[in-house]
């Protein structure tokens, strides 16, 4: 940490931060610093797909957050995993490659008043870094074919990336296992009216099929592998600080400019003392939906009344910081099954565990290559829904709660979540101490609509399980239990058994600052620049105004891909203005 002057400082080496570091450091004339509070991703369980079991709840790789007791969950508090290592959540998540639905992005474009966020204009930014195992198509990118796309509009940014042979870093593969009960569930879903699909990423993900995953030959493929190693490490203009936590942003008056403040750098705790790093161009917060609002508030950017109460000097009153928190809450229904073997029994003996380990060692397949969920389905909670509003994650296993031992009997789990919750929560600091975890209050099931969909989703699960294709396994509802039938019973039950699916978004949402679409709660504009502060952007899941209709990791990469190009464009415009 001898030279602490940089052009760009990126806070958080997770999903967005790793891609941004790769793209911005491609310009050899700019010095880029990437700061990560966690350690390097050299823990072996990060890379073995089933190792998420040993990474979540482990201080080596997880921030160990807990939610506040939640009324919608009947007073329960949930474990709230967030990655604390290189790769961030991409190092501990479920590895599912999922874009969401076209309508998600079209709605974003309407809300922020910028057509560049619609599906048509977002799709190329998914494809730009994608390396799909089937090769390049009209909807998917692949290594070695993306540079042509990058050159399509002649932009200097894309030419720069083409020069570095960038693109196609994000590997997407077919899962390396199958299970009889999952095949039967897929058949039952079709019998229940859900079409079969071999691709959830066309823009309408309705259907049932096996998820595609971010793996490479049976290993987890995180963003540190994809975008940092070896590319960034080999660049003399790139620097990485690990085990370094940002305590606050450095802000100065910006007299005579549109924004009253300018962000000039960050204050960082390196484990021994505070260090200040200066950014001549921009600071980019990519600390996630929990970390980014925490850093903003610690820096005096947030709700004035809240900050005053904590004794923090208010630098800019931004009422939306930490608000609009959204998440997918999954309801886990467990069914005992007969006439087959599930992971419960397979992994409950030394011989079974030995076979599992041997298969992975020899073939990189089998249960150790498993994502947490293998089979997926998207459907409607009732026929009046205009779009698929439920997502299923189906597993050939069961347990009482995440982190608990597998049941000793054969069973399967059908977890279902409401894709478009109307409940809104918050995340806010509790003190000026940067090391103290913020208060996370998701406020689950706080609307009548969310409670009704929760009840309907359990009924949909029962309808699928009752189809002929599953009857050879004699499914018996173990949890929640058939004694619960009414809307009120099922909604309360959802509060008892539901858990987060680890998709927090929206806590620094983007929107219009002025005009007919002006949103006083918007924290960043359509180009992800923070209201009232020049030289500062937020680029992570927090900027989503609405949660995507699916898993959130890959949408964050798309957001980062757009942001990198805009940062480059702004720098080019600045240089032109000086000439």
């Amino acid at each position: 940490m001898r030279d602490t002057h940089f052009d760009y400082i990126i806070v958080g080496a997770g999903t967005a931060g790793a891609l941004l570091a790769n793209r911005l450091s491609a310009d050899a004339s700019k010095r880029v610093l990437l700061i990560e509070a966690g350690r390097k991703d050299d823990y072996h369980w990060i890379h073995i797909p089933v190792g998420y079991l040993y990474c979540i709840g482990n201080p080596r790789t997880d921030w160990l957050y807990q939610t506040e007791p939640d009324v919608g969950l009947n007073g329960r508090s949930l474990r709230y995993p967030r990655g604390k290592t290189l790769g961030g959540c991409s190092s501990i998540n479920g590895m599912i490659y999922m874009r969401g639905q076209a309508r998600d992005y079209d709605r974003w474009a309407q809300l922020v008043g910028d057509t560049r966020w619609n599906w048509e204009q977002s799709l190329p930014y998914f494809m730009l870094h994608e390396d799909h195992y089937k090769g390049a198509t009209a909807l998917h990118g692949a290594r070695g074919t993306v540079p042509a796309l990058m050159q399509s509009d002649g932009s200097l940014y894309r030419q720069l990336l083409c020069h570095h042979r960038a693109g196609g870093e994000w590997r997407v593969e077919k899962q390396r296992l199958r299970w009889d009960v999952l095949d039967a569930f897929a058949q039952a879903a079709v019998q229940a009216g859900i079409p079969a699909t071999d691709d959830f990423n066309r823009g309408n993900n309705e259907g049932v099929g096996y998820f595609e995953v971010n793996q490479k030959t049976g290993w987890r493929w995180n963003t540190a592998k994809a975008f940092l190693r070896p590319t960034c490490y080999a660049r003399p203009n790139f620097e990485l600080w690990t085990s370094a936590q940002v305590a606050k942003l450095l802000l100065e008056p910006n007299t005579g400019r549109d924004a009253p403040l300018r962000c000039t750098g960050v204050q960082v705790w390196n484990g021994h003392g505070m260090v200040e790093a200066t950014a001549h161009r921009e600071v980019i917060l990519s600390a996630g939906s929990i970390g980014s609002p925490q850093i903003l508030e610690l820096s005096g950017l947030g709700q004035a009344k809240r900050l005053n109460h904590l004794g923090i000097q208010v630098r800019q009153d931004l009422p939306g910081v930490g608000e609009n928190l959204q998440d997918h809450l999954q309801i886990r229904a467990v069914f005992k099954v007969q006439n087959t073997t599930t992971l419960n029994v397979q992994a409950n003996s030394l011989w079974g565990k030995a076979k599992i380990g041997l298969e992975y060692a020899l073939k990189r397949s089998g249960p150790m290559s498993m994502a947490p969920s293998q089979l997926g389905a998207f459907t409607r909670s009732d026929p009046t829904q205009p779009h698929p509003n439920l997502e299923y994650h189906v597993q050939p296993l069961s347990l009482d709660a995440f982190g608990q031992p597998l049941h000793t009997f054969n069973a399967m789990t059908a977890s279902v979540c409401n894709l478009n919750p109307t409940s809104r929560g918050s995340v806010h600091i509790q003190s000026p101490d940067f090391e103290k975890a913020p208060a996370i209050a998701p406020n689950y099931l706080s609307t009548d609509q969310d409670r009704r969909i929760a009840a309907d989703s359990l009924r949909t699960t029962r309808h699928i399980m009752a189809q002929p294709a599953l009857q050879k396994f004699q499914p018996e509802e173990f949890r929640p239990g058939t004694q619960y039938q009414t809307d009120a019973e099922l909604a309360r039950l959802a509060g008892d058994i539901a858990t987060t699916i680890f998709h927090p978004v929206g806590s620094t949402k983007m929107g219009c600052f002025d005009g007919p679409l002006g949103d006083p709660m918007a924290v960043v504009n359509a180009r992800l620049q923070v209201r009232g502060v020049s030289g500062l952007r937020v680029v992570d899941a927090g900027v989503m105004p609405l949660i995507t209709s699916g898993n959130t990791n890959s949408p964050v990469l798309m957001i980062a891909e757009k942001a990198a190009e805009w940062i480059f464009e702004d720098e080019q415009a600045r240089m032109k203005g000086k000439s």
Side-chain angles (χ1 to χ4, degrees), residues 359-577:
E359 180 177 1
Y360 187 74
L362 296 177
K363 301 180 180 179
R364 295 289 180 267
S365 63
M368 286 188 71
S369 73
M370 281 172 54
S373 300
Q374 299 78 54
L375 188 79
F378 291 82
T379 189
R380 294 163 169 79
S381 59
D382 69 77
T384 67
Q385 295 291 331
H387 306 282
N389 68 325
L390 299 180
E391 178 180 9
Y392 280 90
H393 294 80
V394 192
Q395 305 115 8
L397 55 86
S398 66
L399 35 72
D400 286 333
F402 190 85
Q404 297 296 311
L406 295 173
H407 292 141
T408 56
F409 49 82
N410 279 313
M412 64 183 298
T413 300
S415 299
V416 61
C417 69
N418 175 3
L419 288 170
N420 310 120
T422 53
S423 299
R424 296 291 182 269
S426 65
V427 50
H428 292 293
I429 60 173
Q430 304 180 74
S431 87
D433 181 357
F434 72 93
E435 293 185 297
K436 185 175 176 60
I440 304 168
N443 207 23
Y444 294 119
L445 299 173
S446 58
T447 67
D448 290 340
Q449 180 177 324
D450 287 358
R451 289 189 291 273
R452 184 180 69 253
I453 290 174
D456 288 343
S457 68
L458 281 166
R459 293 191 181 99
T460 302
T461 304
R462 289 169 173 171
H463 179 60
I464 295 170
M465 294 300 298
Q467 297 304 311
L470 279 163
Q471 297 320 297
K472 61 184 175 183
F473 300 118
Q474 301 175 34
E476 175 190 351
E477 186 173 324
F478 173 72
R479 195 179 192 188
T482 55
Q483 67 270 32
Y484 302 103
Q485 292 292 333
T486 68
D487 281 0
E489 288 173 337
L490 292 175
R492 179 169 180 80
L493 181 79
D496 286 335
I497 67 173
T499 188
T500 175
I501 204 169
F502 319 139
H503 295 166
V505 309
S507 54
T508 52
K509 74 169 179 175
M510 64 174 159
C512 291
F513 294 164
D514 304 299
L517 293 176
D519 181 355
M521 299 298 284
V523 177
V524 299
N525 64 15
R527 289 173 75 90
L528 310 182
Q529 296 159 314
V530 174
R531 185 196 295 259
V533 187
S534 67
L536 179 63
R537 292 183 212 239
V538 179
V539 183
D540 55 36
V543 305
M544 297 184 188
L546 294 172
I547 196 167
T548 53
S549 301
N551 308 73
T552 54
N553 186 252
S554 290
V556 170
L557 281 177
M558 181 275 291
I559 291 169
E561 196 78 80
K562 282 180 176 284
E565 184 166 23
W566 291 336
I567 292 167
F568 185 87
E569 287 175 355
D570 287 351
E571 175 61 10
Q572 293 300 301
R574 190 190 72 84
M575 296 301 293
K576 271 189 179 179

Side-chain angles (χ1 to χ4, degrees), residues 249-268:
L249 305 170
L250 302 178
L251 302 169
E252 294 182 357
N254 202 31
T255 309
R257 304 295 179 91
D258 292 339
L261 294 173
R262 174 166 183 80
C263 184
T264 59
V266 294
Q267 188 180 85
V268 185

Side-chain angles (χ1 to χ4, degrees), residues 9 26 54 69 92 117 151 165 202 268 321 378 396 447:
I9 295 176
Y54 305 99
I92 69 171
W117 283 107
Q151 289 185 349
R165 294 183 175 84
R202 296 188 178 105
V268 185
V321 171
F378 291 82
T447 67

Side-chain angles (χ1 to χ4, degrees), residues 67 150 223 234 252 322 539:
T67 67
M150 290 192 285
T223 57
E252 294 182 357
V539 183

Side-chain angles (χ1 to χ4, degrees), residues 131-305:
D131 181 20
H132 198 275
Y133 75 100
K134 288 184 179 179
T137 67
L139 290 171
H140 292 287
R143 190 74 177 174
T145 61
V146 178
L149 168 68
M150 290 192 285
Q151 289 185 349
S152 62
D153 65 359
S155 76
L156 292 174
Y157 172 76
R158 296 189 183 191
Q159 288 178 30
L160 177 68
L161 295 191
C162 184
H163 173 73
H164 285 277
R165 294 183 175 84
E169 299 95 344
W170 194 230
R171 183 65 177 170
V172 180
E173 291 191 351
K174 184 178 180 180
Q175 292 192 67
R176 302 165 73 88
L177 75 169
R178 55 162 294 279
W179 296 81
D180 289 344
V181 289
L182 298 188
D183 291 346
F185 185 96
Q187 295 168 16
V190 171
Q191 291 169 348
I194 303 171
T197 184
D198 62 355
D199 189 351
F200 286 121
N201 290 296
R202 296 188 178 105
N204 176 8
N205 50 21
E206 186 166 20
V208 59
Y210 280 89
F211 288 122
E212 292 174 341
V213 291
N214 295 121
Q215 294 182 8
K216 193 166 187 177
T217 60
W219 299 98
R220 175 190 289 273
W221 193 244
N222 68 355
T223 57
K225 292 176 184 174
F227 301 105
L228 298 182
R229 290 195 301 273
T231 309
C232 287
Y233 291 174
R235 293 172 175 168
N237 63 320
F238 172 77
E239 191 162 330
L240 170 66
W241 294 357
T242 55
S243 300
Q245 186 171 350
V246 170
K248 68 176 182 179
L249 305 170
L250 302 178
L251 302 169
E252 294 182 357
N254 202 31
T255 309
R257 304 295 179 91
D258 292 339
L261 294 173
R262 174 166 183 80
C263 184
T264 59
V266 294
Q267 188 180 85
V268 185
W269 174 255
N270 65 9
H272 305 287
M274 287 292 181
V275 178
E276 290 189 355
T278 302
H280 298 299
R281 297 290 176 261
E282 291 195 23
V283 172
I284 302 110
L285 281 182
S286 296
S289 293
I290 308 304
S292 288
Q294 178 184 18
I295 293 170
L296 289 171
E297 290 185 332
L298 288 167
S299 308
L301 305 174
Q303 299 172 12
K305 184 177 179 180

